[in-house]
Each structure stands twice: as C-alpha cells, then as structure tokens.
Amino acid sequence: MQTNSRYSNLGVKDVLAALSQIGLPLYLAKADIRQRYRRSILGPWWITISTGVMIACIGLIFGALFKSPMHEFLPFLSAGLIIWGYISSAVMDGTSVLISAEAIIKQLPIPVFSHIIRMVGRNLIVFFHNLLIFPIVCLCVQKGINWNILYFIPGIVVLTLNLLWISLLLAIVCTRFRDMSQIVSSLLQIAFYITPIIWMPSLLPARTSVMLLDPNPFYHLLAIVREPLLGMAPTFTNWLVSIGLFFTGSLFSILLFNKYKARISYWL
C-alpha cells in the first residue's frame, strides 16, 4: 500500500513540474528548429514553400474536379491543410517523442512532460510559419476577413491543449508497444480522407454529413481554428466537443501517466 501511494501522483507532479519550468521546453523547441536547418539558407521556410506548392497543386486539381469556386475552395483548402499538418505532425511525433529523448530521460532529472511540451511547441512554431501562406491565398482570391477571426485565438489554444494530452497518451502507449506507431499512422491517413480537408462539407448530402462529421473529433478540432480564418464563427457543437475532449482526454491521460510514469525509463 505504501508503494502504491508513493507512485499514485507521480504523473501529476511531473506535469506540474514541467509547467512550472515551461520556458525550458519552449527554448529547446526553438533550438530544435534552428538545429534542423542550421546550414540552410531558407531554414524552416522550406516547409512553408513545400506546403504552398502542395496547396496550389491540390487546389487547382480538386477545385476543377469538384467544380468548386476558387475564391471559396482555395482558402478552405489552404487553412485545412495547414492545420492538419500541425495536428498530424504533433500526433506522429508524439508516438516517438519519449523514445527519441531516451538519453535525456535516463540521465537528466527533467520532467517527462517537458519533452511533450517541447515537441508540440516545435510543431506549433512550424504551424505559424506555414500560416503565412493563408493571407497570401486570401489576397490572390480577394477574400477579406472580419471580426470572427478573433475566435482563432481560443481555437488554437484549445487545439494545442488537446494535442498535448493526445501526445502524452500516445507517447506512453507507443513507448511500451512500439508497433502502435504504425497503427496510428494508418489511422491518421484514414482520418485525413474522412475529414473535410480537401473536400468541402457542402458536397455531402445532409444526412451523410451529420453521420460522418458529428462523431469525428478531428473535424471539430479543425473547425475551431479554420472557421475563424474563413470569417465564420465555430458552432456551439464544435466548441463543446473540443473542450469536452480536452477535459476527458486529459483526465484519462493523467491517470495513465500516474500509473506508468515510473516504468517509462524501463521501457526505453
């Protein structure tokens, strides 16, 4: 009983310790970006350029295929791909974040959750680099903005908070079961196609739209960030699902972290 009580709150203490010194993982996140592109002239802007080229190619092909007006489809597509890039990169990096930090975890007394913050922070920096494509697209199609864009701020905060618990959960599971990362990769590919990223929800019949979109958490997480960029307010359902997902997912992840935090270094 003493042993169980000793380890019962290890996960909570680790998360609180990481948040109390959040400057360290955020600094390391910026250092990761600089290190990755240390001898590159354009640095992380290469990612932005490649994302822009992909948006242009997919936009021209699928816009013509779906016969969608370009002034509506291109902003929709660019916002969707940029946000999805942030989500998918953070999720996939989450499957290997602790494995990549094995040496640090075994040698330095840094909170485990700091590695999660570092990884999500790194992807958030790349996201804001890529986001600069969106106003360029809006200028090209002459699409304006309105006050609904202010919803973007709480939207990106809620999305990032959700990515933190998702990454923590996947980090624990994938550290113990290494094959899980391949399963996550396959599930992300499926989620990409059933989430309105390269196709617009208006193309679906009303009943199919309700059945496909309402149970899809990725759709709601995407909507609370994309809708403000497109000049619309996210629906109450979008906020309810996204915030509810954060509270329930965080609780489950913390409980799992409490239980297995002491074993992570043995799994590495």
Side-chain angles (χ1 to χ4, degrees):
M1 293 297 294
Q2 291 180 353
T3 302
N4 290 337
S5 62
R6 178 183 177 184
Y7 294 108
S8 60
N9 292 318
L10 278 181
V12 174
K13 292 177 181 177
D14 186 279
V15 171
L16 293 177
L19 294 175
S20 67
Q21 46 185 293
I22 195 171
L24 174 61
L26 294 181
Y27 172 80
L28 293 174
K30 291 186 287 185
D32 287 341
I33 299 293
R34 289 194 295 265
Q35 178 66 23
R36 182 182 300 180
Y37 301 98
R38 183 174 55 180
R39 297 185 181 276
S40 172
I41 296 176
L42 295 179
W45 296 109
W46 279 116
I47 303 176
T48 306
I49 293 172
S50 63
T51 303
V53 172
M54 180 174 64
I55 289 171
C57 294
I58 294 178
L60 292 174
I61 295 172
F62 281 85
L65 184 64
F66 295 142
K67 298 179 181 179
S68 301
M70 282 298 172
H71 71 278
E72 294 180 3
F73 183 66
L74 273 182
F76 176 89
L77 175 70
S78 59
L81 285 176
I82 292 168
I83 299 165
W84 180 257
Y86 175 40
I87 294 173
S88 60
S89 295
V91 169
M92 281 309 303
D93 286 353
T95 63
S96 60
V97 61
L98 299 185
I99 299 171
S100 302
E102 176 182 357
I104 299 176
I105 292 173
K106 289 184 175 180
Q107 297 177 24
L108 296 176
I110 296 177
V112 172
F113 193 65
S114 291
H115 301 290
I116 306 296
I117 298 175
R118 174 183 182 180
M119 180 275 296
V120 174
R122 180 173 66 238
N123 283 289
L124 184 61
I125 293 172
V126 174
F127 165 75
F128 279 113
H129 273 90
N130 292 339
L131 191 61
L132 294 177
I133 299 172
F134 184 75
I136 297 174
V137 171
C138 289
L139 286 174
C140 291
V141 299
Q142 297 182 346
K143 182 177 179 62
I145 61 172
N146 56 42
W147 288 107
N148 284 327
I149 198 170
L150 294 177
Y151 285 112
F152 171 82
I153 298 173
I156 193 63
V157 170
V158 173
L159 172 59
T160 301
L161 291 175
N162 273 286
L163 289 177
L164 285 170
W165 76 256
I166 292 172
S167 299
L168 176 61
L169 176 63
L170 291 176
I172 297 170
V173 174
C174 293
T175 300
R176 178 63 181 88
F177 304 102
R178 302 298 173 94
D179 291 337
M180 282 297 298
S181 61
Q182 300 302 320
I183 297 175
V184 172
S185 177
S186 299
L187 291 176
L188 273 178
Q189 291 180 6
I190 296 172
F192 175 78
Y193 289 110
I194 65 174
T195 304
I197 300 171
I198 59 175
W199 52 270
M200 302 182 75
S202 57
L203 297 173
L204 295 177
R207 175 177 290 186
T208 304
S209 180
V210 171
M211 294 175 59
L212 186 63
L213 299 183
D214 285 355
N216 185 348
F218 288 110
Y219 164 68
H220 297 287
L221 292 174
L222 195 73
I224 60 174
V225 182
R226 180 172 60 189
E227 297 303 300
L229 293 176
L230 298 177
M232 296 177 286
T235 66
F236 176 76
T237 303
N238 294 148
W239 288 116
L240 182 64
V241 172
S242 300
I243 296 174
L245 195 65
F246 164 67
F247 283 109
T248 55
S250 297
L251 178 61
F252 180 75
S253 297
I254 290 296
L255 291 175
L256 194 71
F257 196 28
N258 275 336
K259 185 173 182 179
Y260 294 110
K261 195 268 180 182
R263 303 184 190 181
I264 288 176
S265 58
Y266 296 101
W267 292 342
L268 294 172

